[in-house]
Amino acid sequence: QVQLVESGGGLVQAGGSLRLSCAASARTFSSYAMGWFRQAPGKEREFVAAISGSGARTYYAASVKGRFTISRDNAKNTVYLQANNLKPEDTAIYYCAASESSSYSTGRNYAYWGQGTQVTVSS
């Protein structure tokens, strides 16, 4: 069982930056691939980014590539999402999730989810 707690959300102006964090309770954190997802009001949840257990491989949705960076610190059991050049359309609740599957890079096969953190980008 893995428990995930996100933090770092908030209100920011367009063009600004935020760093989201997700602390995990897993005993073997490095054995889980991690992902970030988001859900805007009235929309379905969408994949944002993923990172392998070692951190060597990362994957991004086209809408955030070049602006967002996913990283992890396995010694701290934490995954991060650095979000730069934020746009109003990035407004959403952001969730982190953990996967034990090798097929995680497209946002599928995530079994454990956090409660989410709100990101609001004003124009």
Side-chain angles (χ1 to χ4, degrees), residues 1 4 7 10 16 20 29 37-38 60 62 68 71 74-75 77 89-90 92 96-97 104 113-114:
Q1 188 74 10
L4 303 170
S7 62
L20 307 183
F29 180 61
F37 297 76
R38 66 187 182 186
Y60 297 92
F68 290 14
S71 62
N74 286 344
N77 279 22
E89 51 264 41
D90 294 317
C96 73
Y104 64 88
W113 294 82

Side-chain angles (χ1 to χ4, degrees), residues 12-107:
V12 63
Q13 289 188 331
S17 298
L18 283 174
R19 188 173 85 152
L20 307 183
S21 300
C22 174
S25 67
R27 294 178 66 182
T28 55
F29 180 61
S30 62
S31 67
Y32 294 89
M34 299 298 294
W36 284 97
F37 297 76
R38 66 187 182 186
Q39 187 167 20
K43 295 188 177 181
E44 293 186 353
R45 186 173 61 198
E46 65 174 353
F47 168 75
V48 174
I51 188 167
S52 64
S54 68
R57 295 182 299 277
T58 57
Y59 306 89
Y60 297 92
S63 58
V64 306
K65 197 167 187 178
R67 299 188 298 123
F68 290 14
T69 302
I70 188 171
S71 62
R72 65 190 297 159
D73 185 338
N74 286 344
K76 296 182 177 180
N77 279 22
T78 302
V79 62
Y80 305 97
L81 185 69
Q82 178 68 42
N84 296 331
N85 190 21
L86 283 159
K87 305 175 181 181
E89 51 264 41
D90 294 317
T91 295
I93 298 174
Y94 283 70
Y95 300 90
C96 73
S99 173
E100 298 174 281
S101 171
S102 58
S103 300
Y104 64 88
S105 63
T106 58

